[in-house]
Amino acid sequence: MQPFIFDALPTRVVFGSGTLSQLKAEATRLGTTRALILTTPNQATTGMQVGEALGDLFGAVFSGAVMHTPTHVTEEALVALRQTGADLVVSIGGGSTIGLGKALALRTGVNQLVIPTTYAGSEMTPILGQTDDGLKTTVRNLAVLPETVIYDVDLTMSLPTALSATSGINAIAHAVEALYAKDRNPIISMIAEEGIRSLATSLPSIRAKSYDQDARKRALYGAWLCGYCLGSVGMALHHKLCHTLGGSFGLPHSETHTVILPHAVAYNSQAAPEAMSAISRAIGASDAANGLYDLISGLGADQALSLIGMPEDGIERAADIAVASPYWNPRPIEREALRDLIARAYVGKRPSL
């Protein structure tokens, strides 16, 4: 075994069913005097319900979170934070809301308590992706790592099956890239394979029966593990492409990850054989890239960038942006190969090995 370095992330996790009832106790544990609730516009009512659970610690709800964390929305939330005098932000929802909480923490140092309602996994990472003038950039800083995460399976029971699928594949992507990350280690690789397996077995069950509580538990557990992987080691081609496509063309986050993942895996297949073997074991397939493509197909998710809002004339631009400042990747980033990858993903073809 090769020497390695493992840094344990210090987030406190409360996992189970009905765990939202522990919200006020967890907020008090962080020394909270006033909390600002963050939600998307569609979850404003849920935000008020969470506020009621906080009792006298509740300050206000800011319901303006949107995907890709645009900086102008963060500026609006900063005003609400200062007006409320909050020393805690409670982010309930998926990656959009969690990203906004992280952006506030980066700028002010405010504590974060996160209540995920999807499988995005952002709550377990010290990574913030934010967009300014159509360009999405990422920051890795422990200052944006939430102090506490409350996983309540009950809050995911009504997550639509379509969103469950893409959100779950987004989580799988975190673990996939952890398996071939430059700074990978055997601990994270073990967690990554278990996370992929948990989601790959539970997502089809959720599609067949949305209110299958056991499947929902396994999916949320898998999302936690996959998110932990993303927070612990570096990212590579897949995440660079998704950040480029999402930030530059306004594509939906989890849907973009779902389309790109099999193609990014195929691109790296020859350069990362051990990772491919682990992925294949976890999903029960003979080939990692095509196995992921088939898994996604079975979930009924869109598999073409053209179906989620990508303009055809954006293929060349996306390739240019992705190679301008590439992440480390096990296979060198080649502009024409990358362009072909994006073109195949645009029409939804099978990944090319």
Side-chain angles (χ1 to χ4, degrees):
M1 181 180 295
Q2 296 294 320
F4 63 90
I5 295 173
F6 175 72
D7 286 321
L9 298 176
T11 298
R12 174 179 169 88
V13 172
V14 179
F15 187 99
S17 176
T19 49
L20 186 60
S21 63
Q22 300 178 46
L23 172 59
K24 186 173 183 180
E26 290 298 324
T28 300
R29 184 178 177 275
L30 292 171
T32 304
T33 61
R34 187 74 61 188
L36 175 67
I37 314 297
L38 305 177
T39 75
T40 60
N42 291 336
Q43 292 182 304
T45 300
T46 301
M48 290 301 298
Q49 294 170 349
V50 170
E52 292 174 3
L54 283 169
D56 58 356
L57 301 182
F58 173 48
V61 173
F62 178 85
S63 58
V66 295
M67 66 179 183
H68 305 307
T69 319
T71 53
H72 72 272
V73 173
T74 301
E75 294 300 322
E76 294 171 11
L78 275 170
V79 173
L81 182 69
R82 289 166 181 149
Q83 290 177 341
T84 307
D87 48 12
L88 175 72
V89 290
V90 177
S91 304
I92 181 165
S96 298
T97 307
I98 297 167
L100 179 57
K102 289 180 172 184
L104 294 176
L106 182 66
R107 288 161 175 77
T108 68
V110 67
N111 285 338
Q112 301 173 78
L113 190 155
V114 177
I115 308 167
T117 59
T118 72
Y119 305 133
S122 175
E123 66 279 356
M124 292 307 300
T125 78
I127 302 168
L128 166 64
Q130 48 192 348
T131 305
D132 191 13
D133 291 331
L135 182 63
K136 188 168 185 177
T137 57
T138 58
V139 175
R140 180 181 283 265
N141 190 321
L142 281 175
V144 307
L145 183 70
E147 279 70 25
T148 302
V149 177
I150 295 178
Y151 287 106
D152 190 334
V153 176
D154 298 350
L155 298 179
T156 67
M157 295 299 294
S158 60
L159 188 67
T161 54
L163 181 54
S164 297
T166 57
S167 181
I169 297 298
N170 178 21
I172 286 176
H174 305 332
V176 163
E177 292 228 300
L179 287 167
Y180 53 66
K182 185 178 183 179
D183 52 351
R184 64 190 179 277
N185 64 70
I187 307 303
I188 291 300
S189 294
M190 178 177 60
I191 294 172
E193 187 170 340
E194 173 66 8
I196 295 170
R197 182 179 295 107
S198 295
L199 282 159
T201 56
S202 59
L203 292 177
S205 297
I206 290 170
R207 175 169 169 76
K209 184 181 178 183
S210 181
Y211 291 95
D212 183 333
Q213 189 176 49
D214 180 66
R216 291 288 184 182
K217 286 180 179 177
R218 288 185 285 118
L220 194 59
Y221 169 71
W224 166 24
L225 297 182
C226 292
Y228 189 84
C229 293
L230 176 65
S232 300
V233 295
M235 296 177 286
L237 172 65
H238 171 81
H239 282 83
K240 176 63 178 182
L241 271 180
C242 291
H243 290 162
T244 296
L245 294 168
S248 300
F249 304 103
L251 304 187
H253 184 79
S254 64
E255 289 86 345
T256 303
H257 279 266
T258 299
V259 173
I260 291 295
L261 181 59
H263 300 279
V265 168
Y267 186 97
N268 286 325
S269 60
Q270 299 301 313
E274 290 184 6
M276 299 304 134
S277 295
I279 297 165
S280 297
R281 286 194 302 270
I283 64 177
S286 59
D287 172 71
N290 281 288
L292 287 167
Y293 185 89
D294 291 337
L295 172 63
I296 294 165
S297 177
L299 296 175
D302 288 334
Q303 293 183 278
L305 292 174
S306 61
L307 297 176
I308 61 172
M310 173 78 173
E312 186 173 7
D313 61 6
I315 294 174
E316 300 293 341
R317 180 184 168 205
D320 288 338
I321 296 172
V323 299
S325 55
Y327 296 170
W328 180 90
N329 194 63
R331 173 184 168 184
I333 303 300
E334 303 162 359
R335 199 272 181 193
E336 289 309 306
L338 198 58
R339 188 263 176 212
D340 290 345
L341 183 162
I342 298 169
R344 293 185 74 87
Y346 177 80
V347 296
K349 289 184 178 179
R350 275 192 172 272
S352 173
L353 300 179

